[in-house]
Amino acid sequence: MAAPVLCCFFRGRCFGTPGWLTVLPMGLRKAHSGPQGLLATQKKRGLFKEFFPDKITETELPELFDHGTAGNFPQTIYCGFDPTADSLHVGHLLALLGLFHFQRAGHNVIALVGGATARLGDPSGRTKEREAMDAKRVQANALALRRGLESLAANHHQFFADGRTWGSFTVLDNSAWYQSQHLVDFLAAVGGHFRMGTLLSRLSVQTRLKSPEGMSLAEFLYQVLQAYDFYYLFQHYGCRVQLGGSDQLGNIVSGYEFIHKLTGEDVFGITVPLITSTAGAKLGKSAGNAVWLNRDKTSPFELYQFFVRQQDDSVERYLKLFTFLPLSEINHIMQLHVKEPEKRGPQKRLAAEVTKLVHGREGLESAKRCTQALYHNSIDALEVMSDEELKELFKEASFSELVLDPGTSVLDTCRKANAIPNGPRGIGGALQKVILHYQLNSSVKSCEIFQLFFSTKCINLLFRKSAPLEEHKGEAEIE
């Protein structure tokens, strides 16, 4: 099979037969920018970490988002999300929030699902190769990610509108431009524009080559495909900015070099910080500490509690990163916190803002009901909880199946299920008298049983059992 005819390029004009690398004339591209200060503001908040290339971003990148420069508004920015799982997680949120900030400033943003690149596996930040996934699984994950991205975009539009005219939010899948391509054609047209020495110099490659497992060819070629994604979006959507985690800088650089070599035009990269655990590990599926954004994997209550349990030394930073609150309002929240730290105001506000973005207003209300029931012994909250919420609240609890004799008390039932310990940590005499008054029969409501269990800090769903919970001092509570 003959290789595609390569083209000569000069200021966006194409001479030759259109193929893999033809450049659309500037007039045919959709000129997709925002008010001055957008980059500086997000840099101040800590959301934007690095800008590439260093030499020209100080002048050209701000000009790109300048309302006053003719033809510069709006711009198009993209960020990629590989479907290595069937849900996004908290580690993806900052990149999404970066896109949302651009969208709020009037720019068009693209969330690119890596339905093709996920088959190779991104080696960035990894010490070993990802688990191989077949095409069917990747396709299912890609569909789930698309739905998750669209849901987040809808919540953002519905609950965080600020009266300005926003840009568009588009979800694409890169499998759309790889499925019909032939390997030899692609390598002949694209591969010749990448130098092995440059690719080998990337930190992600160097790290893997020095590891005991080494690096596969599929992983090595990942940066080539990501570079081509940037090029494709530049050609068809006028996209000139790629957003990604700080571990993606090498891949972003590959895209910049590829586009600049072919077109002579400059594109840009912006990185956002990685979210890590208290131990310094990157949050995500591979590390086994992912906090998912899909309700089936992490409930609104669990997501709320993740943020509400953040320490004082990190909550101000997280308010700046994970919310749209103005810096002046965040400063006010922190000033109140200094006066009344026991109220944990910043943590509550952080958790509420993120939960509403991810799960909507109903998801936030669900998290509040679960918190009221679990940490405030609220029977009112318990009575209005749905079956779904009850299952979410107690999904990690073990359970016991017991055959009970007529007249068995709740206290005896709990002891048989090992839900309430004997001895000093068990139920006091006064409380025993109250519990013994309730006999386990059809006339006892489940909420009454819950009320008794809450009183002893033994959180059980009927006859579910778990280790008695200690007092949750300092835990987040809903006002």
Side-chain angles (χ1 to χ4, degrees):
M1 182 178 296
V5 177
L6 296 183
C7 306
C8 299
F9 307 94
F10 180 74
R11 293 189 180 181
R13 293 173 179 260
C14 173
F15 303 92
T17 305
W20 267 92
L21 302 178
T22 54
V23 177
L24 298 179
M26 289 299 294
L28 296 183
R29 295 191 209 152
K30 297 179 181 178
H32 293 274
S33 150
Q36 284 182 301
L38 169 64
L39 301 180
T41 298
Q42 297 312 319
K43 180 74 172 178
K44 185 176 180 180
R45 293 178 74 103
L47 182 59
F48 293 167
K49 185 177 181 181
E50 298 170 288
F51 301 94
F52 181 86
D54 297 332
K55 294 182 179 179
I56 62 175
T57 50
E58 292 184 4
T59 56
E60 292 194 23
L61 190 56
E63 289 177 359
L64 196 66
F65 297 101
D66 182 4
H67 274 293
T69 305
N72 271 8
F73 194 87
Q75 290 294 325
T76 300
I77 302 92
Y78 101 93
C79 183
F81 303 88
D82 274 354
T84 56
D86 59 358
S87 171
L88 298 165
H89 54 72
V90 165
H92 292 117
L93 267 181
L94 291 193
L96 266 172
L97 282 160
L99 290 181
F100 287 154
H101 278 291
F102 278 114
Q103 183 189 16
R104 296 165 74 85
H107 301 291
N108 299 320
V109 298
I110 297 172
L112 180 64
V113 177
T117 45
R119 297 288 305 279
L120 303 184
D122 185 2
S124 302
R126 297 184 57 84
T127 58
K128 60 181 181 179
E129 190 170 5
R130 293 182 183 273
E131 176 188 355
M133 296 191 297
D134 58 39
K136 187 176 181 180
R137 181 180 172 189
V138 172
Q139 186 177 16
N141 287 352
L143 180 60
L145 250 62
R146 173 183 283 272
R147 291 172 178 167
L149 289 164
E150 291 172 345
S151 175
L152 281 159
N155 288 341
H156 174 225
H157 183 269
Q158 181 177 359
F159 302 114
F160 295 91
D162 57 5
R164 294 183 292 174
T165 300
W166 290 2
S168 63
F169 185 100
T170 304
V171 182
L172 300 175
D173 189 324
N174 64 11
S175 64
W177 50 85
Y178 287 115
Q179 283 181 339
S180 61
Q181 301 304 325
H182 296 286
L183 174 63
V184 175
D185 290 344
F186 178 79
L187 291 177
V190 176
H193 296 277
F194 290 88
R195 303 269 71 85
M196 286 295 298
T198 303
L199 297 178
L200 287 168
S201 69
R202 305 294 185 220
L203 179 60
S204 60
V205 176
Q206 287 291 314
T207 302
R208 288 299 303 280
L209 290 177
K210 295 176 182 178
S211 69
E213 291 194 12
M215 187 179 200
S216 70
L217 177 61
E219 290 179 296
F220 180 72
L221 291 175
Y222 183 93
Q223 59 181 309
V224 175
L225 266 66
Q226 184 166 327
Y228 185 81
D229 287 341
F230 197 177
Y231 172 82
Y232 183 92
L233 296 175
F234 174 76
Q235 292 293 89
H236 293 83
Y237 294 87
C239 179
R240 299 190 65 186
V241 180
Q242 181 180 173
L243 195 68
S246 57
D247 59 348
Q248 292 295 307
L249 185 58
N251 294 336
I252 294 174
V253 172
S254 294
Y256 163 81
E257 293 174 343
F258 182 49
I259 293 171
H260 188 71
K261 181 180 293 186
L262 288 174
T263 70
E265 297 189 39
D266 289 318
V267 292
F268 306 91
I270 302 175
T271 65
V272 298
L274 299 177
I275 298 302
T276 60
S277 66
T278 54
K282 175 183 173 181
L283 291 183
K285 177 178 71 71
S286 302
N289 57 4
V291 179
W292 303 100
L293 305 188
N294 185 322
R295 183 167 188 161
D296 294 335
K297 300 169 80 73
T298 298
S299 69
F301 166 72
E302 291 171 312
L303 179 69
Y304 183 94
Q305 287 299 316
F306 171 79
F307 283 99
V308 90
R309 292 173 181 171
Q310 294 302 316
Q311 300 298 315
D312 285 352
D313 58 3
S314 62
V315 68
E316 181 176 5
R317 174 174 176 259
Y318 277 17
L319 280 169
K320 294 176 181 178
L321 292 175
F322 285 100
T323 77
F324 302 108
L325 300 176
L327 292 178
S328 58
E329 185 172 351
I330 293 175
N331 291 336
H332 178 66
I333 292 172
M334 296 310 299
Q335 289 171 5
L336 295 178
H337 182 58
V338 172
K339 298 177 182 178
E340 298 178 304
E342 71 281 358
K343 290 187 175 181
R344 298 179 66 80
Q347 285 88 345
K348 294 175 185 177
R349 186 62 182 276
L350 169 66
E353 293 291 313
V354 177
T355 305
K356 185 165 63 173
L357 175 63
V358 176
H359 295 294
R361 197 178 302 280
E362 173 53 34
L364 175 57
E365 293 304 317
S366 173
K368 289 181 178 182
R369 286 191 291 270
C370 292
T371 301
Q372 288 284 359
L374 192 59
Y375 296 125
H376 291 267
N377 301 352
S378 172
I379 298 304
D380 291 338
L382 185 66
E383 287 179 333
V384 297
M385 288 173 65
S386 65
D387 290 344
E388 181 183 22
E389 289 171 338
L390 290 172
K391 291 177 181 178
E392 290 173 347
L393 191 58
F394 298 102
K395 68 180 181 181
E396 299 299 329
S398 58
F399 64 91
S400 296
E401 295 183 8
L402 303 174
V403 178
L404 303 178
D405 297 326
T408 302
S409 68
V410 173
L411 176 61
D412 291 337
T413 301
C414 292
R415 283 177 170 165
K416 287 183 178 181
N418 295 324
I420 298 177
N422 293 313
R425 297 184 65 193
I427 300 174
L431 186 58
Q432 288 189 34
K433 293 179 181 179
V434 176
I435 293 181
L436 287 171
H437 178 71
Y438 288 83
Q439 299 299 317
L440 192 65
N441 53 53
S442 59
S443 65
V444 178
K445 298 179 181 179
S446 61
C447 64
E448 293 175 323
I449 298 176
F450 267 105
Q451 186 174 25
L452 298 175
F453 284 9
F454 280 133
S455 300
T456 62
K457 292 298 180 184
C458 297
I459 311 302
N460 296 273
L461 180 57
L462 294 182
F463 304 131
R464 291 175 185 258
K465 68 174 183 179
S466 63
L469 300 180
E470 301 293 340
E471 287 288 337
H472 287 262
K473 296 181 180 179
E475 292 286 3
E477 300 169 349
I478 300 293
E479 292 178 338

